[in-house]
Amino acid sequence: MVGGVLWTGMAAGGQRIVPDGAMDLIWVGDHILIAGPDSQAHVSSLTAGTALTGLRFAPGTLPGILGLPASELRDLRVRLDEVWSRSEAQRLADRIAGAADPGSALEAASAECLRAAGPRPPIVGAIVTRVRGGQPIAAVAAEVGLSERQLHRRSLAAFGYGPKVLARVLRMDRALALARAGVPFAETAARAGYADQAHLARDVRALTGTSLGILVG
């Protein structure tokens, strides 16, 4: 683990990927794809059946590795060779393609890049913790020693969007985890910080384009 969670899967035609505040590096067989932070559900255009190996990075981690603000990748899927030099991206692609275990090779390469970039700034983790805990934005800014305007700028660079959008995305991510664990929707709404079940339903549809029942079902 390099601040990210390794995953594997197969692309499904029209697959709906919901926002969770994370960013991914995805090996798709001959190149690396960057999945930027989503503010709305992303419908995958990858060919169904394509084997995928990815690293999902905690909010605010991947921009330091890539060397650019997350806001430049918001709601996008971009090849690594469009962000880094083609030769640098190709060297990494060749390394992964030649490995017996692409996931381990992707992890190792990402760990090297993370060491070179340095760890995620502590303030970024502090922002995530407080926003995820449901603190008002003004209180978050005060506790991390920033003005609200500075917090907004810092959030755009680290997460791809401002703290209010980050709060909505992280709250929905918690709600989905609860609902998928079998918690009734009304209790899910209360535990995740929504006013009521109707508020939860509206927010889920606004962020994903579909219903909580379909996402959980």
Side-chain angles (χ1 to χ4, degrees):
M1 281 248 282
V2 292
V5 176
L6 185 66
W7 58 268
T8 60
M10 302 287 284
Q15 181 180 8
R16 186 180 298 271
I17 301 164
V18 302
D20 61 3
M23 294 177 64
D24 296 65
L25 291 178
I26 307 170
W27 175 246
V28 296
D30 61 355
H31 67 276
I32 296 171
L33 193 67
I34 304 166
D38 292 323
S39 62
Q40 300 285 329
H42 171 82
V43 179
S44 175
S45 61
L46 292 173
T47 302
T50 301
L52 307 174
T53 299
L55 271 178
R56 176 158 295 160
F57 291 85
T61 303
L62 190 53
I65 295 176
L66 298 175
L68 80 168
S71 56
E72 294 189 15
L73 297 167
R74 183 176 57 241
D75 295 320
L76 297 177
R77 300 298 184 270
V78 179
R79 288 175 59 121
L80 184 63
D81 58 17
E82 295 179 46
V83 172
W84 285 358
S85 70
R86 289 188 179 275
S87 60
E88 192 175 9
Q90 189 60 54
R91 278 196 299 272
L92 182 53
D94 290 343
R95 175 177 172 179
I96 296 170
D101 181 350
S104 294
L106 181 60
E107 276 193 301
S110 297
E112 293 169 10
C113 293
L114 189 58
R115 284 194 294 271
R120 185 178 71 169
I123 193 173
V124 173
I127 292 168
V128 172
T129 297
R130 286 161 174 77
V131 168
R132 184 174 274 136
Q135 292 189 14
I137 301 306
V140 174
E143 290 193 19
V144 300
L146 300 174
S147 69
E148 289 189 52
R149 182 171 293 181
Q150 289 170 328
L151 175 63
H152 187 80
R153 288 200 299 266
R154 194 67 180 258
S155 296
L156 286 176
F159 314 119
Y161 25 66
K164 290 182 180 180
V165 175
L166 178 66
R168 287 183 69 200
V169 168
L170 294 180
R171 182 176 60 183
M172 183 186 71
D173 187 53
R174 171 165 166 71
L176 288 175
L178 289 168
R180 286 167 175 159
V183 177
F185 289 174
E187 183 180 348
T188 288
R191 289 172 59 179
Y194 292 89
D196 51 29
Q197 185 175 336
H199 181 202
L200 166 63
R202 289 194 302 272
D203 215 42
V204 167
R205 186 169 291 280
L207 287 169
T208 71
T210 190
S211 70
L212 180 61
I214 289 175
L215 290 173
V216 171

